[in-house]
Amino acid sequence: MSVQVEDLGKNMVKLTIEVPVEAVDSAMKSAYNQQKGKISIPGFRKGKVPQAMIEKMYGPEVFYEEAANIMLQLHYPAAVDECGVDIVSQPSIDIVQLEKGKPFIFTAEVAKKPEVTLGKYNGVTVTRIDTSVSDEEIDTEIKTQLENNARTVTVTDRAVVDGDTVKIDFDGSVDGVAFEGGKGEDYDLVIGSHSFIDTFEEQLIGKNIGDDVDVNVTFPEEYHAPELAGKPALFKVKVKAISAKEVPELNDEFVQDVSEADTVAEYREEVKKTLTDRKVKAAKGTQEDEAIQKIIDKSKMDIPEAMIDAQVERMINEFAQRIAMQGLSMEQYMQFTGATKEKLAEQVRPDAVKNIQSRLVLEQIVKEENIEVSDDELEKEIEQMAANYGMEAEQVKSYLGEAEMKSMKDDIAVNKAVEFIMANVKERAKAKSKTENADAE
């Protein structure tokens, strides 16, 4: 196999890969073995027709598509390793030559990892963030915890009020015609959640169990179902049950049930510490983002569009995996929200660019500062991963290949680069006046 690399500019390259005739013959044979069971020729049992006979009757082209797939899967990764280019996108493949008895030639246009010229990264200044916790914030958090520990009680002696959960049957129509998804039974609706369109929920306030209610609403102009967008609708609603939250009283008994504290006063201190830790962690993340963004702004890199497209695709796939864990497919999500893959791509694109920029500058800092990852540091990361999954470290290692281990080391190195940046930020920020800080930026 031979590989030629052509620079297309803007960090795009074209690989021209030539696969020898012997590999073509082997791929054709593999394609024949995969397809022979589907081919029938009079005089031969199914699956027993010789390859030469099939090629004589139908032409060798009958195996070209499968043979090409076999060779691409086998030889493209090998070509990537051989060319020495750090490729950061999926290839755009073009088959140049595929003919029996001749070499297989194909091209792959790909993005290569851009070079980064770093700006100032040692001593970057960031905004100081107040991490103190007020009494009002403690009160708000305690109120949230009280509500989280509220029990649900059935209501029979009053009408619906804001915040109640009502069990309803509903049947919707537009111009007297029922529409898909407009009917439901025993649906639990939280009044004030705004999970139903327009003023649907508000029109149930003041109604009693057993009431039949005509709810008139108008679908939004940009509703995901075009046939309903902007149209008035009537829902026939039956109020079947009402329930409400009963919030517990804040006392020593409550705090002993939900915390390690014995008294309300101790509980307030416990909540204060939790909120302080939360604020410190959030402030750390905010300052890291600010510092990295300042480094990005002072650095130079030419990110190819194909690299951004690959990152966008990766982020959409990760989002699909997250919602799948909640029992929702991408098709269902798009139906419920009116989103499309194109809209999602447009939404995540700015974050995709920022993620790429951040990773590139941090990797360059790793190089500039000669940041290395020791075997002990890698071992600790594996042990932490094992603890997260409830496994033994050796068991985790057995699942990790060379590529995964390298990826882990790269991630650790990048995290160490962030630590390097922030260690210098803190030292420089404390030592400088406002005027000096402005000059440093």
Side-chain angles (χ1 to χ4, degrees):
M1 182 180 70
S2 67
V3 184
Q4 295 180 353
V5 181
E6 178 185 351
D7 191 342
L8 302 178
K10 295 186 177 179
N11 287 311
M12 294 294 295
V13 297
K14 181 165 77 171
L15 310 180
T16 300
I17 300 109
E18 182 173 321
V19 179
V21 174
E22 295 79 11
V24 177
D25 292 339
S26 176
M28 292 284 284
K29 182 68 174 177
S30 296
Y32 159 72
N33 287 330
Q34 291 181 21
Q35 297 181 23
K36 64 182 180 180
K38 305 174 185 177
I39 299 174
S40 297
I41 291 180
F44 294 91
R45 283 185 298 156
K46 198 168 187 179
K48 299 296 182 180
V49 185
Q51 181 178 347
M53 179 67 71
I54 296 172
E55 292 182 0
K56 183 176 180 180
M57 293 192 67
Y58 299 106
E61 295 84 1
V62 71
F63 298 123
Y64 281 178
E65 182 177 354
E66 188 61 38
N69 289 333
I70 291 169
M71 288 187 286
L72 289 172
Q73 291 175 21
L74 181 63
H75 296 287
Y76 174 72
V80 170
D81 291 339
E82 184 177 321
C83 74
V85 178
D86 194 347
I87 293 171
V88 291
S89 73
Q90 292 298 315
S92 177
I93 300 289
D94 184 29
I95 295 176
V96 177
Q97 177 175 282
L98 176 53
E99 187 176 341
K100 189 173 182 180
K102 294 183 179 181
F104 174 53
I105 302 173
F106 67 98
T107 62
E109 289 191 14
V110 290
K112 68 176 182 178
K113 185 177 177 180
E115 294 183 0
V116 178
T117 303
L118 285 174
K120 178 182 175 63
Y121 67 87
N122 196 338
V124 177
T125 58
V126 294
T127 306
R128 294 183 184 276
I129 299 175
D130 182 11
T131 57
S132 62
V133 175
S134 67
D135 288 340
E136 290 77 10
E137 289 172 314
I138 296 173
D139 292 339
T140 299
E141 179 64 19
I142 291 176
K143 182 181 178 182
T144 298
Q145 295 304 318
L146 288 169
E147 291 177 349
N148 289 343
N149 285 275
R151 67 187 185 98
T152 301
V153 296
T154 300
V155 175
T156 58
D157 58 350
R158 63 165 174 78
V160 177
V161 299
D162 193 21
D164 282 347
T165 297
V166 292
K167 187 179 293 293
I168 59 172
D169 292 343
F170 60 89
D171 193 355
S173 61
V174 171
D175 297 330
V177 179
F179 55 88
E180 186 178 356
K183 186 174 183 177
E185 294 182 352
D186 292 335
Y187 187 92
D188 290 325
L189 175 63
V190 179
I191 304 300
S193 66
H194 304 294
S195 55
F196 273 30
I197 63 169
D198 202 13
T199 59
F200 189 105
E201 296 165 27
E202 289 90 330
Q203 293 180 56
L204 298 181
I205 293 176
K207 306 305 179 184
N208 292 284
I209 296 172
D211 284 354
D212 292 308
V213 187
D214 284 351
V215 175
N216 291 282
V217 294
T218 301
F219 284 98
E221 292 291 342
E222 296 183 358
Y223 195 64
H224 67 84
E227 68 276 11
L228 300 177
K231 292 187 177 180
L234 169 66
F235 284 86
K236 296 284 187 178
V237 180
K238 177 80 169 183
V239 180
K240 302 176 73 175
I242 306 171
S243 58
K245 284 185 176 180
E246 189 175 85
V247 179
E249 182 182 350
L250 178 61
N251 53 34
D252 292 350
E253 183 179 357
F254 169 77
V255 301
Q256 289 165 12
D257 286 341
V258 300
S259 72
E260 298 297 322
D262 291 321
T263 66
V264 172
E266 291 177 4
Y267 181 57
R268 288 185 66 85
E269 287 302 313
E270 189 177 289
V271 170
K272 182 177 182 179
K273 182 180 184 307
T274 299
L275 292 177
T276 300
D277 291 345
R278 190 184 302 168
K279 277 193 167 187
V280 168
K281 184 177 180 181
K284 181 175 180 289
T286 299
Q287 288 182 330
E288 286 176 358
D289 289 344
E290 183 181 356
I292 293 170
Q293 187 59 55
K294 285 187 175 181
I295 298 169
I296 291 170
D297 292 341
K298 298 289 185 180
S299 301
K300 294 179 180 179
M301 64 197 92
D302 187 5
I303 302 174
E305 287 297 314
M307 186 179 186
I308 299 172
D309 292 340
Q311 178 68 15
V312 167
E313 186 72 19
R314 191 176 302 117
M315 292 173 69
I316 291 176
N317 289 337
E318 289 171 353
F319 174 72
Q321 292 172 5
R322 289 197 299 271
I323 64 172
M325 294 176 67
Q326 302 170 13
L328 197 65
S329 69
M330 277 295 283
E331 291 74 18
Q332 290 170 322
Y333 172 80
M334 290 181 185
Q335 181 181 357
F336 294 155
T337 63
T340 63
K341 189 171 182 180
E342 290 72 23
K343 287 182 180 178
L344 284 176
E346 185 179 344
Q347 289 171 5
V348 304
R349 186 179 176 83
D351 286 336
V353 173
K354 185 174 180 180
N355 290 347
I356 293 169
Q357 292 172 327
S358 299
R359 184 77 182 196
L360 288 174
V361 298
L362 290 171
E363 287 177 345
Q364 190 62 32
I365 291 172
V366 168
K367 292 180 182 178
E368 297 280 345
E369 295 297 325
N370 296 313
I371 295 174
E372 297 181 348
V373 177
S374 68
D375 292 340
D376 286 344
E377 288 172 321
L378 180 59
E379 186 70 26
K380 286 180 182 178
E381 186 69 18
I382 293 173
E383 289 174 357
Q384 183 60 56
M385 181 184 294
N388 292 341
Y389 287 101
M391 300 166 62
E392 296 295 329
E394 291 303 317
Q395 189 179 4
V396 171
K397 287 181 185 178
S398 69
Y399 294 129
L400 298 175
E402 186 177 336
E404 288 80 11
M405 296 285 273
K406 181 182 183 303
S407 178
M408 286 183 68
K409 291 188 76 169
D410 289 344
D411 289 343
I412 295 170
V414 164
N415 289 334
K416 291 179 73 172
V418 175
E419 292 171 2
F420 171 84
I421 294 166
M422 297 313 293
N424 284 279
V425 162
K426 293 172 184 176
E427 293 171 359
R428 298 291 181 90
K430 289 178 181 177
K432 291 187 175 188
S433 68
K434 291 182 179 179
T435 303
E436 289 173 319
N437 282 336
D439 291 340
E441 296 181 37

